[in-house]
Amino acid sequence: MTEPHAFWQATPDDSLHTLAATRDGLPSDEAAARLDRDGPNEVSAAKRRHFLLDLLRRLGNPLIAILLVAAGIAGATGDLASFAIIFIVVVLSTTLDLVQEHRAEATAEALRRAIALHATVLRDGKPIELPVRELVAGDIVMLAAGDLVPADGIVLAANGAQVNEALLTGEPYPVEKQVEPATAAETPAEAHNALFQGTSLIGGTATLLVVQTGPRTRFGAIARSLAGKQPTTAFEHGIHKLGVLIVRLTIFLVLFVLLAHLALGRPPLQSFLFAMALAVGLTPELLPMIMTVALGRGAQRMAKAKVVVKRLSAIHDLGQMDILCTDKTGTLTEARITLVGQPGIDGDDDERVAELAAVNARFETGLKSPLDQALLLHMTGRSLEGWRKLDERPFDFERRRVAVLAEQGSERIEIVKGAPETLLALCTRAQDRSGEFVPLDDALRARLCALREDRAAQGLRLLAIAWKPAAGQDRIDARGEDELVFAGYCVFVDPPKPSATSAVARLEAAGIRIKVISGDAAPVIQHLVAALALPVEGILTGDEIAKLNDQALAARVEQVDLFARVTPDQKTRIVRALRARGHTVGFIGDGINDAPAIRAADVGLSVDGATDVAREAADMILLAPDLCVLADGVAEGRRTYANIMKYVRMGTSSNFGNMLTMAIASLFLPFLPLTPVQVLLNNLLYDLSEIGIPFDTADSGDLARPQGWDIRGLVRFTAIMGPLSSLFDFATFALLLGVFHVGIPEFRTAWFMESMLTQILVVFVIRTSRPAWSSRPHIVLTVTALAGLAAALLLPLLPSADLLGFAIPGATIFGAIALLVVGYLASAEFLKRFALRPAGSAR
Ligand SMILES: Nc1ncnc2c1ncn2[C@@H]1O[C@H](COP(=O)(O)OP(=O)(O)OP(=O)(O)O)[C@@H](O)[C@H]1O
Ligand SMILES: [Mg+2]
């Protein structure tokens, strides 16, 4: 596709002119005017649907459509009661669903705003932090490694600006951006001076002149739709399969009942309405609502526990997570790094080493690590005046070092700091305290290695500092990063976080194995986990991982809990290997280097202060960088899961069982066991009684283990509880017809009451695997269930009840029903120990 006037073909000055902008940024009043004119820098695809449209979409749902057709037929045949009840069912299930979903969305939106991305923008000549949505064309944005590009535009200045454009080109390798206009470039992929919204800076820095914002950006829309597309989790998949199964069964059952009735010569309309009512009764019409409410409430409660959920369905994954991979800094350590030593080659502190390191840190523009901050903090008071920067080769996680070309007076040198193992190997000479060069012979090398190992064994973090003369050079030669002069080490302490010990213990107690994956050296990590007394075993280094293929790695990851000196790519490989072993894997990290692994994990986690790319990749953000917070979140995830399962179990056993009995009984009884209206009423009251389920508390047993979709467990549950329910149903029939010889209206009334009582009350039995009386249900559940029950029991007793076909049975019949219900609940209580999977046998 040729684009003759693409914005990247113009020179920076022409673009500035066109946009009436300057390199000092827009005046704030002008920016406000532009924001008014162009609208916020957001992609409209994320806009909320209109309430009415949403309603229409729902009415088009086949389930609802069936109900509407049924209501229409009922209305047309003058069966006003059926019409009204079906109508109420439709209104109830759609509005509940709609309202809850909108509420959940509004909550999610508010939470998202709390973690909105910010950008550094020049306004009125000064850099300020603004929410990304307030950017306008003509803004000047300062970007550093780890930032997401907030809008489309051109580069006004760049230094080692490595950009990941995978979103745009599918190309995983970063491209370097330059200032020169790409006059010949026809496609965005060739525009080496353009930055596009949704791509990310993974190294270096860049200054962006914003040309397009909001919906007018090239790839914003794609980026947003990709980011917004929520892949279905295993749990949702399972629920969906269950839904399909139920629909099939329903259709089969309804057709069977209908045809059988017709073959038996029953009145066609009556049979049709009865079959229809059964279908209505069988459909789990509240399932979407239950899931939305459960997830929405889960998200809200997690926000209170300082975990912001970006992808709602990740709550299930969190509940199912059985392995958590974490990086080291910030989660296991305080991330308050201080410089505690700067030994030269003789092992004693040498200020020159710290100074070189600080010059490097000061001029490093790419990724500012806490190590750099510690170096600069150490130098406060002592001046780095006189140093001038000429060039830089930014940090990246493969080389693990950063080079800066700088001069002081007439001395021009290239200063390199980075991971000691690799940097020392690049050095050929060393410099002693007096400034003399000494050969870096084997003996000295061995001494330096010993020094390094000694410090690392004490849990101290090390950077090596080296340099080389660069007289007459203005640029760093990317090929010539060797023949360095070794200057010394900088030694840092990052104190272990004492709270990590108890947090890890809580997670372990909850059945979650912790693995530490870090770019740091093995001894440092080993010392740290020993200091925190973490229950971890084995260690694997990046070099070893590099030699393993994916299969071999998958065989090793299970036993090993520590991974040292790994590259970002290896972090991802470890996550994939664990997933391939069938684990549900969480990954928590904060850096650019963590982002790919965060994305690859089932549950991507990041912290509030993390880089943009890490936060963007994450499903959840911890507002406090603390694993304790996560332990609370896990409990919420499992509770959400447990409550959804309660509804599913209720549906598969009691509700389904009841409808099944009714279908079968209708064939053997000379009359319908319930009129269609009564079936519908039964279903409506049952629905009402279940509204409180998502609010319920969960058993400690449900919270103690990872909870995953378990279709076999569900089948076993249904196989035990379903027949039990049918047994008591048939007992009721036998009693009513064989012993009491009741009339049809009394039969229906008694059976209506019995089925409502058993269906509704059994929730108090199966909501917990502990004895029902020892686990208190949530008040909302108790109230909704009892209210539904009260309505079911009172309705037949009202004076107008004969309109619905009810007639009050005698007192002995009430007594018999009460006994049957008690018998049923007691048997359910006894049998549930076999039906409910005991906690701890997950997977
Ligand atoms: N600013 C820097 N300058 C030079 N080298 C650095 C810098 N930042 C990091 N390194 C080197 O790269 C290594 C890996 O970086 P880093 O420790 O950030 O990785 P990580 O996997 O995020 O580790 P962590 O688990 O501690 O978060 C460091 O151990 C250090 O040797
Ligand atoms: Mg890190």
Side-chain angles (χ1 to χ4, degrees), residues 327-329 369 372 395 417-419 461 518-519 565 571 593:
D327 74 346
K328 169 175 64 76
T329 309
S369 87
D372 295 312
F395 179 79
K417 79 176 186 333
R461 299 186 69 176
S518 172
R565 282 284 185 237
K571 293 191 182 192
N593 54 335

Side-chain angles (χ1 to χ4, degrees), residues 326-331 333 337 360-361 364 367-373 375 395-397 399-403 416-423 461-465 494 516-521 524-525 563 565-568 571 587 589-594:
T326 169
D327 74 346
K328 169 175 64 76
T329 309
T331 39
T333 70
I337 301 181
N360 175 298
E364 170 179 9
L367 187 68
K368 278 269 187 252
S369 87
L371 297 175
D372 295 312
Q373 281 155 14
L375 283 169
F395 179 79
D396 70 61
F397 285 96
R399 285 161 50 244
R400 293 200 188 95
R401 57 179 176 272
V402 51
V416 188
K417 79 176 186 333
E421 303 93 316
T422 36
L423 200 53
R461 299 186 69 176
L462 252 63
L463 283 181
I465 317 298
D494 183 5
V516 182
I517 306 185
S518 172
D520 212 336
V524 180
I525 300 169
F563 300 87
R565 282 284 185 237
V566 294
T567 63
K571 293 191 182 192
F587 188 101
D590 57 359
I592 305 175
N593 54 335
D594 300 314

